């Protein structure tokens, strides 16, 4: 992989990974433990934060894909960037709409304990796969530059 593409892909990958870890695995669960944060307030904040995160993730995915596409990468790099991008697409196109419908219902006054959805568990599972793919991608890109 050429050095410039590897540098861009590596930087973007680790930035993306850091954002996902900070928001999905730190901010999201902690906000509901903060004093005075009710479920509707937490959902409202979460929707705004994840909308912004997902937009930035989409941009970073495009940059990573472009850097890999022009860099002459090994097959492992192509596979890992594809996995991360496909997982993100699945989250945005399949899981997020379900989560949005559920949060709409709760924000409209539905009891959060009724009609629980597994969409949140799917999202977390996909986040875990994405984190693993991004970590492996970043490490693999770094290994191609030595």
């Amino acid at each position: 992989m050429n050095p410039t593409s590897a540098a861009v892909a590596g930087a973007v990958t680790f930035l993306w990974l850091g954002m996902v870890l900070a928001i999905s695995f730190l901010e999201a669960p902690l906000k509901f433990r903060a004093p005075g944060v009710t479920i509707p307030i937490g959902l409202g904040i979460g929707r705004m934060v994840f909308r912004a995160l997902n937009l930035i993730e989409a941009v970073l995915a495009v940059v990573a894909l472009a850097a890999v596409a022009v860099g002459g990468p090994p097959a492992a790099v192509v596979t890992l960037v594809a996995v991360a991008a496909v997982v993100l697409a699945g989250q945005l196109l399949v899981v997020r709409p379900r989560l949005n419908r559920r949060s709409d219902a709760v924000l409209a006054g539905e009891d959060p304990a009724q009609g629980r959805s597994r969409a949140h568990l799917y999202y977390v599972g996909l986040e875990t796969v994405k984190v693993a793919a991004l970590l492996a991608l970043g490490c693999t890109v770094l290994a191609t530059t030595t």
Side-chain angles (χ1 to χ4, degrees), residues 76-138:
V77 169
V78 173
T79 300
L80 291 166
V81 76
V83 168
V86 168
V87 168
L88 176 62
Q91 288 177 301
L92 297 177
L93 300 173
V94 178
V95 184
R96 275 295 302 278
R98 293 177 185 179
L99 288 171
N100 287 340
R101 284 192 296 276
R102 178 71 181 131
S103 62
D104 286 343
V106 172
L107 291 171
E110 183 179 303
D111 180 2
Q114 291 182 348
R116 287 196 174 256
S117 166
R118 292 185 181 258
H120 184 258
L121 297 175
Y122 296 138
Y123 194 89
V124 171
L126 289 171
E127 282 291 74
T128 303
V129 171
K130 186 169 60 183
V131 162
L134 289 171
L135 182 58
L137 173 62

Side-chain angles (χ1 to χ4, degrees), residues 1-3 5-6 9 64-82 137 140-141 144-145:
M1 191 159 177
N2 78 52
S5 294
L65 286 163
V68 167
V70 300
V77 169
V78 173
T79 300
L80 291 166
V81 76
L137 173 62
T140 305
V141 166
T144 66
T145 62

Side-chain angles (χ1 to χ4, degrees), residues 23-110:
I23 299 298
S24 293
F25 294 101
L26 187 61
E27 181 275 339
L30 287 178
K31 89 172 142 270
F32 290 102
R33 293 188 177 119
V37 175
T38 63
I39 289 177
I41 290 171
L43 286 175
I45 293 167
R47 286 174 69 153
M48 290 180 66
V49 168
F50 274 91
R51 187 177 306 125
L53 173 64
N54 291 154
L55 175 63
I56 293 167
E57 282 188 281
V59 170
L60 293 174
V62 168
V63 173
L65 286 163
V68 167
V70 300
V77 169
V78 173
T79 300
L80 291 166
V81 76
V83 168
V86 168
V87 168
L88 176 62
Q91 288 177 301
L92 297 177
L93 300 173
V94 178
V95 184
R96 275 295 302 278
R98 293 177 185 179
L99 288 171
N100 287 340
R101 284 192 296 276
R102 178 71 181 131
S103 62
D104 286 343
V106 172
L107 291 171
E110 183 179 303

